[in-house]
Amino acid sequence: MENTIAVLGGTGKLGAALARRWAKAGRQVIIGSRTAGKAAEAAARLGAGLGTTIRAATNLEAARAAGIVVVTVPFASQQGILEEIRPVVAGKIVIDTTVPLVPPKVMRVQLPPEGCAALRARALLGEDVRLVSAFHNVAAHKLATDETVDCDVLVFGDDRQARAVAVELANRAGLRGLHAGGLASSAAAEALTSVLIFLNKTYRVDGAGIRITGQLDIGAAAE
Ligand SMILES: NC(=O)c1ccc[n+]([C@@H]2O[C@H](COP(=O)([O-])OP(=O)(O)OC[C@H]3O[C@@H](n4cnc5c(N)ncnc54)[C@H](OP(=O)(O)O)[C@@H]3O)[C@@H](O)[C@H]2O)c1
């Protein structure tokens, strides 16, 4: 259970792509949905493509059964899903991917009153959850392929060990995860997503990503 990953909203664009990459890398994955049947359908489809088994459940049951819970639902649904899982995620690692996009103006940075979606998650889940935020800047449709995705994953959180788990999961998904700071700094990556959407439109890019330049001593982050 400890290493099992529940992907809530795993029927969607980002969640399905992450679930598929982690399952392909040999991790135990449970796809969560508001509807068990929809989760089962997505899990069967993704599992068949990989020749492996992916489990499926409602979001609540998936969160209950896993040690690592990844939240991949739209900003408008973030509050509802976090309130639903709060009773079953105490002590667990929760990785929130929420970008506070407010349609139709998704190219404009619109951070919520809490400061960012990650801090909103902290307020909703309480202090006894090992909360991390990540994957804000990765284009889901690129992640859904077997191609290399040219994007770094900035990982934020106040619990260093939990952050390291998310960095490793980004690496296992074929990306480069980087420790990027405390939870409050998640505002930077969340805001960048609107900038990337603007760049996509302006320069006709099919899913711009971000890259941290310079020779990073990756091992130094573990010291
Ligand atoms: N798409 C990207 O490229 C990308 C990249 C980086 C970050 N993100 C972030 O990742 C999150 C998910 O994005 P997405 O594009 O994957 O979203 P999505 O495909 O539109 O939706 C994901 C899933 O959320 C669930 N959902 C929808 N409305 C809901 C509601 N009212 N309550 C609970 N669950 C609901 C649905 O699952 P069920 O119907 O099965 O319950 C849906 O399949 C967002 O916060 C987004 O900002 C997305």
Side-chain angles (χ1 to χ4, degrees), residues 182-202:
L183 205 62
S185 295
S186 179
E190 294 175 28
L192 255 183
T193 299
S194 289
V195 177
L196 292 172
I197 296 170
F198 184 91
L199 291 166
N200 287 340
K201 180 158 187 272
T202 305

PDB file of all heavy atoms in Angstrom, residues 182-202:
ATOM      1  N   GLY A 182       9.702  25.376  -1.059  1.00  0.00           N
ATOM      2  CA  GLY A 182       8.557  25.126  -0.199  1.00  0.00           C
ATOM      3  C   GLY A 182       7.232  25.275  -0.943  1.00  0.00           C
ATOM      4  O   GLY A 182       7.186  25.791  -2.073  1.00  0.00           O
ATOM      5  N   LEU A 183       6.177  24.849  -0.280  1.00  0.00           N
ATOM      6  CA  LEU A 183       4.856  24.809  -0.926  1.00  0.00           C
ATOM      7  C   LEU A 183       4.420  26.184  -1.458  1.00  0.00           C
ATOM      8  O   LEU A 183       3.825  26.287  -2.532  1.00  0.00           O
ATOM      9  CB  LEU A 183       3.832  24.281   0.078  1.00  0.00           C
ATOM     10  CG  LEU A 183       2.600  23.627  -0.520  1.00  0.00           C
ATOM     11  CD1 LEU A 183       2.961  22.391  -1.341  1.00  0.00           C
ATOM     12  CD2 LEU A 183       1.619  23.258   0.583  1.00  0.00           C
ATOM     13  N   ALA A 184       4.738  27.239  -0.718  1.00  0.00           N
ATOM     14  CA  ALA A 184       4.292  28.584  -1.116  1.00  0.00           C
ATOM     15  C   ALA A 184       4.885  28.991  -2.461  1.00  0.00           C
ATOM     16  O   ALA A 184       4.279  29.766  -3.206  1.00  0.00           O
ATOM     17  CB  ALA A 184       4.667  29.603  -0.040  1.00  0.00           C
ATOM     18  N   SER A 185       6.076  28.445  -2.781  1.00  0.00           N
ATOM     19  CA  SER A 185       6.720  28.799  -4.054  1.00  0.00           C
ATOM     20  C   SER A 185       6.046  28.134  -5.243  1.00  0.00           C
ATOM     21  O   SER A 185       6.371  28.436  -6.403  1.00  0.00           O
ATOM     22  CB  SER A 185       8.201  28.420  -4.020  1.00  0.00           C
ATOM     23  OG  SER A 185       8.856  29.189  -3.053  1.00  0.00           O
ATOM     24  N   SER A 186       5.112  27.229  -4.992  1.00  0.00           N
ATOM     25  CA  SER A 186       4.362  26.590  -6.070  1.00  0.00           C
ATOM     26  C   SER A 186       3.670  27.634  -6.942  1.00  0.00           C
ATOM     27  O   SER A 186       3.397  27.392  -8.127  1.00  0.00           O
ATOM     28  CB  SER A 186       3.315  25.632  -5.469  1.00  0.00           C
ATOM     29  OG  SER A 186       2.562  25.015  -6.467  1.00  0.00           O
ATOM     30  N   ALA A 187       3.411  28.810  -6.372  1.00  0.00           N
ATOM     31  CA  ALA A 187       2.785  29.906  -7.141  1.00  0.00           C
ATOM     32  C   ALA A 187       3.549  30.173  -8.429  1.00  0.00           C
ATOM     33  O   ALA A 187       2.945  30.464  -9.467  1.00  0.00           O
ATOM     34  CB  ALA A 187       2.736  31.173  -6.285  1.00  0.00           C
ATOM     35  N   ALA A 188       4.889  30.041  -8.366  1.00  0.00           N
ATOM     36  CA  ALA A 188       5.716  30.353  -9.539  1.00  0.00           C
ATOM     37  C   ALA A 188       5.416  29.391 -10.684  1.00  0.00           C
ATOM     38  O   ALA A 188       5.204  29.817 -11.827  1.00  0.00           O
ATOM     39  CB  ALA A 188       7.193  30.300  -9.159  1.00  0.00           C
ATOM     40  N   ALA A 189       5.379  28.090 -10.400  1.00  0.00           N
ATOM     41  CA  ALA A 189       5.132  27.102 -11.466  1.00  0.00           C
ATOM     42  C   ALA A 189       3.686  27.160 -11.935  1.00  0.00           C
ATOM     43  O   ALA A 189       3.396  27.013 -13.124  1.00  0.00           O
ATOM     44  CB  ALA A 189       5.483  25.707 -10.967  1.00  0.00           C
ATOM     45  N   GLU A 190       2.781  27.374 -10.983  1.00  0.00           N
ATOM     46  CA  GLU A 190       1.354  27.464 -11.362  1.00  0.00           C
ATOM     47  C   GLU A 190       1.143  28.638 -12.315  1.00  0.00           C
ATOM     48  O   GLU A 190       0.447  28.530 -13.327  1.00  0.00           O
ATOM     49  CB  GLU A 190       0.490  27.603 -10.106  1.00  0.00           C
ATOM     50  CG  GLU A 190       0.518  26.367  -9.218  1.00  0.00           C
ATOM     51  CD  GLU A 190      -0.237  26.562  -7.910  1.00  0.00           C
ATOM     52  OE1 GLU A 190      -1.182  27.374  -7.867  1.00  0.00           O
ATOM     53  OE2 GLU A 190       0.125  25.911  -6.908  1.00  0.00           O
ATOM     54  N   ALA A 191       1.785  29.769 -11.991  1.00  0.00           N
ATOM     55  CA  ALA A 191       1.643  30.957 -12.837  1.00  0.00           C
ATOM     56  C   ALA A 191       2.289  30.729 -14.206  1.00  0.00           C
ATOM     57  O   ALA A 191       1.766  31.181 -15.230  1.00  0.00           O
ATOM     58  CB  ALA A 191       2.276  32.165 -12.140  1.00  0.00           C
ATOM     59  N   LEU A 192       3.391  30.016 -14.210  1.00  0.00           N
ATOM     60  CA  LEU A 192       4.106  29.771 -15.472  1.00  0.00           C
ATOM     61  C   LEU A 192       3.238  29.047 -16.500  1.00  0.00           C
ATOM     62  O   LEU A 192       3.424  29.218 -17.702  1.00  0.00           O
ATOM     63  CB  LEU A 192       5.339  28.915 -15.196  1.00  0.00           C
ATOM     64  CG  LEU A 192       6.696  29.602 -15.216  1.00  0.00           C
ATOM     65  CD1 LEU A 192       7.790  28.561 -14.987  1.00  0.00           C
ATOM     66  CD2 LEU A 192       6.940  30.319 -16.532  1.00  0.00           C
ATOM     67  N   THR A 193       2.303  28.241 -16.019  1.00  0.00           N
ATOM     68  CA  THR A 193       1.468  27.488 -16.968  1.00  0.00           C
ATOM     69  C   THR A 193       0.685  28.430 -17.875  1.00  0.00           C
ATOM     70  O   THR A 193       0.590  28.197 -19.084  1.00  0.00           O
ATOM     71  CB  THR A 193       0.523  26.530 -16.218  1.00  0.00           C
ATOM     72  OG1 THR A 193       1.340  25.620 -15.496  1.00  0.00           O
ATOM     73  CG2 THR A 193      -0.363  25.758 -17.178  1.00  0.00           C
ATOM     74  N   SER A 194       0.144  29.505 -17.334  1.00  0.00           N
ATOM     75  CA  SER A 194      -0.565  30.475 -18.182  1.00  0.00           C
ATOM     76  C   SER A 194       0.394  31.111 -19.182  1.00  0.00           C
ATOM     77  O   SER A 194       0.024  31.376 -20.332  1.00  0.00           O
ATOM     78  CB  SER A 194      -1.222  31.557 -17.320  1.00  0.00           C
ATOM     79  OG  SER A 194      -2.309  31.007 -16.622  1.00  0.00           O
ATOM     80  N   VAL A 195       1.627  31.338 -18.743  1.00  0.00           N
ATOM     81  CA  VAL A 195       2.638  31.902 -19.648  1.00  0.00           C
ATOM     82  C   VAL A 195       2.922  30.907 -20.779  1.00  0.00           C
ATOM     83  O   VAL A 195       3.015  31.286 -21.947  1.00  0.00           O
ATOM     84  CB  VAL A 195       3.930  32.227 -18.860  1.00  0.00           C
ATOM     85  CG1 VAL A 195       5.020  32.733 -19.789  1.00  0.00           C
ATOM     86  CG2 VAL A 195       3.634  33.244 -17.752  1.00  0.00           C
ATOM     87  N   LEU A 196       3.012  29.630 -20.440  1.00  0.00           N
ATOM     88  CA  LEU A 196       3.271  28.599 -21.467  1.00  0.00           C
ATOM     89  C   LEU A 196       2.116  28.516 -22.462  1.00  0.00           C
ATOM     90  O   LEU A 196       2.328  28.359 -23.664  1.00  0.00           O
ATOM     91  CB  LEU A 196       3.500  27.234 -20.797  1.00  0.00           C
ATOM     92  CG  LEU A 196       4.801  27.119 -19.984  1.00  0.00           C
ATOM     93  CD1 LEU A 196       4.826  25.804 -19.204  1.00  0.00           C
ATOM     94  CD2 LEU A 196       6.017  27.225 -20.891  1.00  0.00           C
ATOM     95  N   ILE A 197       0.892  28.631 -21.958  1.00  0.00           N
ATOM     96  CA  ILE A 197      -0.267  28.581 -22.859  1.00  0.00           C
ATOM     97  C   ILE A 197      -0.227  29.778 -23.826  1.00  0.00           C
ATOM     98  O   ILE A 197      -0.511  29.653 -25.013  1.00  0.00           O
ATOM     99  CB  ILE A 197      -1.587  28.548 -22.050  1.00  0.00           C
ATOM    100  CG1 ILE A 197      -1.665  27.252 -21.221  1.00  0.00           C
ATOM    101  CG2 ILE A 197      -2.810  28.640 -22.974  1.00  0.00           C
ATOM    102  CD1 ILE A 197      -2.802  27.228 -20.204  1.00  0.00           C
ATOM    103  N   PHE A 198       0.175  30.938 -23.296  1.00  0.00           N
ATOM    104  CA  PHE A 198       0.325  32.133 -24.143  1.00  0.00           C
ATOM    105  C   PHE A 198       1.399  31.886 -25.205  1.00  0.00           C
ATOM    106  O   PHE A 198       1.218  32.198 -26.388  1.00  0.00           O
ATOM    107  CB  PHE A 198       0.690  33.344 -23.266  1.00  0.00           C
ATOM    108  CG  PHE A 198       0.784  34.634 -24.031  1.00  0.00           C
ATOM    109  CD1 PHE A 198      -0.329  35.448 -24.180  1.00  0.00           C
ATOM    110  CD2 PHE A 198       1.982  35.034 -24.608  1.00  0.00           C
ATOM    111  CE1 PHE A 198      -0.243  36.644 -24.894  1.00  0.00           C
ATOM    112  CE2 PHE A 198       2.068  36.215 -25.334  1.00  0.00           C
ATOM    113  CZ  PHE A 198       0.954  37.022 -25.477  1.00  0.00           C
ATOM    114  N   LEU A 199       2.532  31.318 -24.785  1.00  0.00           N
ATOM    115  CA  LEU A 199       3.621  31.036 -25.728  1.00  0.00           C
ATOM    116  C   LEU A 199       3.181  30.036 -26.789  1.00  0.00           C
ATOM    117  O   LEU A 199       3.508  30.181 -27.971  1.00  0.00           O
ATOM    118  CB  LEU A 199       4.846  30.498 -24.963  1.00  0.00           C
ATOM    119  CG  LEU A 199       5.554  31.528 -24.071  1.00  0.00           C
ATOM    120  CD1 LEU A 199       6.515  30.830 -23.111  1.00  0.00           C
ATOM    121  CD2 LEU A 199       6.317  32.540 -24.913  1.00  0.00           C
ATOM    122  N   ASN A 200       2.434  29.021 -26.367  1.00  0.00           N
ATOM    123  CA  ASN A 200       1.929  28.019 -27.324  1.00  0.00           C
ATOM    124  C   ASN A 200       1.146  28.698 -28.441  1.00  0.00           C
ATOM    125  O   ASN A 200       1.299  28.387 -29.614  1.00  0.00           O
ATOM    126  CB  ASN A 200       0.994  27.020 -26.628  1.00  0.00           C
ATOM    127  CG  ASN A 200       1.751  26.045 -25.745  1.00  0.00           C
ATOM    128  OD1 ASN A 200       2.950  25.851 -25.909  1.00  0.00           O
ATOM    129  ND2 ASN A 200       1.046  25.433 -24.806  1.00  0.00           N
ATOM    130  N   LYS A 201       0.295  29.632 -28.017  1.00  0.00           N
ATOM    131  CA  LYS A 201      -0.575  30.292 -28.993  1.00  0.00           C
ATOM    132  C   LYS A 201       0.234  31.267 -29.861  1.00  0.00           C
ATOM    133  O   LYS A 201       0.105  31.264 -31.083  1.00  0.00           O
ATOM    134  CB  LYS A 201      -1.692  31.039 -28.250  1.00  0.00           C
ATOM    135  CG  LYS A 201      -2.648  31.758 -29.151  1.00  0.00           C
ATOM    136  CD  LYS A 201      -3.981  32.011 -28.458  1.00  0.00           C
ATOM    137  CE  LYS A 201      -4.993  32.573 -29.432  1.00  0.00           C
ATOM    138  NZ  LYS A 201      -4.928  34.041 -29.517  1.00  0.00           N
ATOM    139  N   THR A 202       1.070  32.044 -29.216  1.00  0.00           N
ATOM    140  CA  THR A 202       1.799  33.094 -29.922  1.00  0.00           C
ATOM    141  C   THR A 202       2.808  32.538 -30.925  1.00  0.00           C
ATOM    142  O   THR A 202       2.960  33.051 -32.028  1.00  0.00           O
ATOM    143  CB  THR A 202       2.525  33.992 -28.894  1.00  0.00           C
ATOM    144  OG1 THR A 202       1.543  34.460 -27.967  1.00  0.00           O
ATOM    145  CG2 THR A 202       3.191  35.189 -29.557  1.00  0.00           C
TER     146      THR A 202
END
